[in-house]
Amino acid sequence: SFASDLVEQVVGLRKGEFLNDLSGAATLDFCIGVAGYPEKHFEAANMDLDIRYLKAKVDAGADYIVTQMFFDNSKFFTFVDKCRKAGINVPIIPGLKVLKSASQLKTVPRTFHIDLPTELASEILENPNHAEAIGAKWGLKQTRELLEKGFFNVHFYVMNDAHLVRQVIDQARGK
C-alpha cells in the first residue's frame, strides 16, 4: 500500500527472503534509494507528514534519498535540515533539471508539482529565444552552490537534454 512497504519487501530480497518460498535463494547485493520532495509530495497534507512518510521508508531500509527536481536551493537546504531533525541520516542526493525552453515554465510545474523561482521564470519570459542558455546558467549556479555546501553527488533529470546537463557538469568541474 505504501512505498515503505515496498522498501521492506526489497530489503527482504536483499536478505534472500522472497514472497514465495525459494529455498536456498542467495542474498542480493544492492542498495535501495527512495524519493524525497523538497517542496512536499503533492499528495501529502503538509511537509511534516511528508517527512514522516520519508522517515518510514528510511526506517524500512532505504539507503539513500534522491530528491524530486527543484530550482531553489534554499528549499532543498530546508528540506535536508528537516530530514536531519526528524532522524533521517542517510545521504540525500539533490535532483536538478536544466530548463531548455519557455514552454517548460508551464509544463514542469504542472507535471512535477514544483515552483519555479520568479527570477528564473522572468528571465526566460523576457528572453524566450535564450531559454536554453538561461536554464544552463541557472543549473550551473545551483550545482556550484550545492558543491560548495558539501553535496558532492547531484542527480540530473536529463529527459532528452543530455547536452545541457553535460555543459553544466563540465562547467561545474572547471572544464
Side-chain angles (χ1 to χ4, degrees):
S1 297
F2 301 100
S4 57
D5 298 329
L6 177 60
V7 172
E8 284 181 23
Q9 183 179 347
V10 174
V11 167
L13 289 173
R14 189 165 51 188
K15 296 176 185 175
E17 300 166 0
F18 297 86
L19 293 178
N20 298 321
D21 181 27
L22 299 175
S23 299
T27 60
L28 303 172
D29 186 18
F30 60 87
C31 59
I32 302 167
V34 296
Y37 298 84
E39 298 184 43
K40 180 186 85 59
H41 189 279
F42 72 98
E43 291 180 339
N46 57 55
M47 182 58 92
D48 290 339
L49 190 57
D50 200 29
I51 299 266
R52 189 178 334 157
Y53 291 141
L54 181 58
K55 184 164 180 3
K57 291 189 279 188
V58 172
D59 290 346
D63 298 300
Y64 66 94
I65 298 164
V66 177
T67 73
Q68 171 62 280
M69 68 181 74
F70 59 90
F71 294 86
D72 181 345
N73 285 0
S74 67
K75 290 181 180 183
F76 172 75
F77 298 135
T78 299
F79 171 74
V80 171
D81 288 343
K82 287 182 177 197
C83 286
R84 299 304 183 225
K85 287 177 184 167
I88 297 172
N89 296 310
V90 298
I92 300 174
I93 301 169
L96 300 182
K97 166 84 177 116
V98 180
L99 293 180
K100 73 171 187 175
S101 68
S103 66
Q104 289 180 316
L105 296 178
K106 290 182 181 179
T107 59
V108 168
R110 182 178 59 235
T111 304
F112 299 101
H113 306 280
I114 59 170
D115 290 327
L116 293 175
T118 301
E119 180 185 345
L120 173 60
S122 295
E123 189 173 355
I124 291 175
L125 285 173
E126 291 169 14
N127 303 288
N129 294 332
H130 296 18
E132 191 170 293
I134 294 164
K137 181 180 75 173
W138 190 271
L140 178 60
K141 181 178 92 170
Q142 279 192 278
T143 302
R144 284 184 171 153
E145 183 180 19
L146 290 163
L147 292 172
E148 288 169 7
K149 300 278 187 179
F151 293 91
F152 299 116
N153 296 295
V154 177
H155 173 81
F156 286 95
Y157 290 92
V158 177
M159 300 170 1
N160 298 321
D161 300 326
H163 72 285
L164 285 175
V165 171
R166 171 56 55 200
Q167 178 184 336
V168 168
I169 291 168
D170 287 346
Q171 288 179 357
R173 293 170 66 196
K175 288 186 174 183

